[in-house]
């Protein structure tokens, strides 16, 4: 899989916005209650992206869009997440060359919507460890075992 060119800056953070696709199926019951369930283990996330590039960077970017990924192929790009900058599989949902404009004689702006195949949120292990902090999972399990054995003795 092709990588986003390291010589190019990533999309501007000021203009970035993420939208995870709906993943909850909700069924309203006749009693007024509702049942909910998760539809899929993983759903795509869409990202509004804006680049401001110097003339030389703009040339590389346009070549990458047209010839590097043929506008439609998946590629790897660093995306800012709460966990830091993480590599994601992405593709353009809209041609960034359709919405480009000069900001000055030396700077060009491109806008596109990007699809992330799977937004890399915290893993199950990371979620458990952060929930139990400052204890580790092993310390928590030992504490529960100790509490149970003490309870059974009394």
């Amino acid at each position: 899989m092709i990588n986003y060119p390291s010589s190019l800056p990533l999309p501007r953070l000021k203009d970035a916005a993420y939208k995870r696709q709906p993943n909850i199926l909700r069924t309203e019951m006749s009693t007024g209650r509702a049942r909910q369930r998760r539809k899929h283990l993983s759903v795509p996330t869409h990202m509004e992206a804006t680049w401001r590039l110097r003339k030389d960077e703009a040339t590389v970017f346009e070549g990458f869009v047209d010839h590097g990924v043929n506008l439609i192929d998946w590629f790897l790009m660093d995306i800012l997440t709460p966990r830091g900058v993480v590599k994601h599989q992405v593709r353009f949902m809209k041609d960034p060359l359709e919405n480009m404009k000069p900001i000055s004689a030396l700077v060009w702006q491109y806008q596109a919507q990007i699809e992330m195949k799977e937004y890399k949120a915290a893993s199950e292990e990371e979620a458990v460890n952060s929930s139990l902090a400052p204890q580790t999972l092993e310390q928590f399990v030992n504490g529960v075992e100790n509490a149970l054995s003490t309870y059974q003795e009394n």
Side-chain angles (χ1 to χ4, degrees), residues 9 27 60 83 90-91 95 103 109-110 130 140 145 148:
T27 305
V60 172
R83 295 173 54 206
V90 300
R91 67 178 168 187
D95 185 352
I103 301 299
Q109 179 172 294
Y110 299 84
S130 66
F140 177 76
E145 287 175 348
L148 288 175

Side-chain angles (χ1 to χ4, degrees), residues 19-147:
K19 184 173 191 251
R20 184 166 144 165
Q21 297 308 294
N23 196 26
I24 294 176
L25 184 60
R26 184 176 171 90
T27 305
E28 301 291 336
M29 310 301 279
S30 61
T31 61
R33 298 186 187 274
R35 288 179 28 194
Q36 289 187 175
R37 68 178 186 273
R38 197 175 188 165
K39 288 195 280 187
H40 308 284
L41 292 176
S42 171
V43 292
T45 299
H46 298 166
M47 174 184 167
E48 297 293 332
T50 301
W51 290 264
R52 283 201 177 161
L53 306 171
R54 295 186 319 265
K55 282 185 347 182
D56 57 324
E57 293 172 332
T59 303
V60 172
F61 182 75
E62 290 180 6
F64 173 73
V65 170
D66 278 341
H67 308 295
V69 292
N70 300 317
L71 185 63
I72 59 170
D73 295 335
W74 291 96
F75 60 97
L76 294 173
M77 185 167 85
D78 289 336
I79 302 288
L80 181 66
T81 71
R83 295 173 54 206
V85 177
V86 180
K87 226 175 240 323
H88 285 76
Q89 267 189 298
V90 300
R91 67 178 168 187
F92 294 111
M93 294 177 61
K94 184 177 173 191
D95 185 352
L97 305 183
E98 287 178 15
N99 196 6
M100 59 187 220
K101 65 180 179 182
I103 301 299
S104 71
L106 301 175
V107 178
W108 285 79
Q109 179 172 294
Y110 299 84
Q111 291 180 312
Q113 192 172 35
I114 293 174
E115 177 183 12
M116 286 181 251
K117 196 173 218 174
E118 180 180 356
Y119 178 80
K120 295 189 173 130
S123 68
E124 187 175 351
E125 182 180 346
E126 290 170 324
V128 167
N129 287 338
S130 66
S131 298
L132 297 176
Q135 295 183 352
T136 65
L137 180 58
E138 184 178 336
Q139 290 170 328
F140 177 76
V141 169
N142 290 339
V144 169
E145 287 175 348
N146 186 31

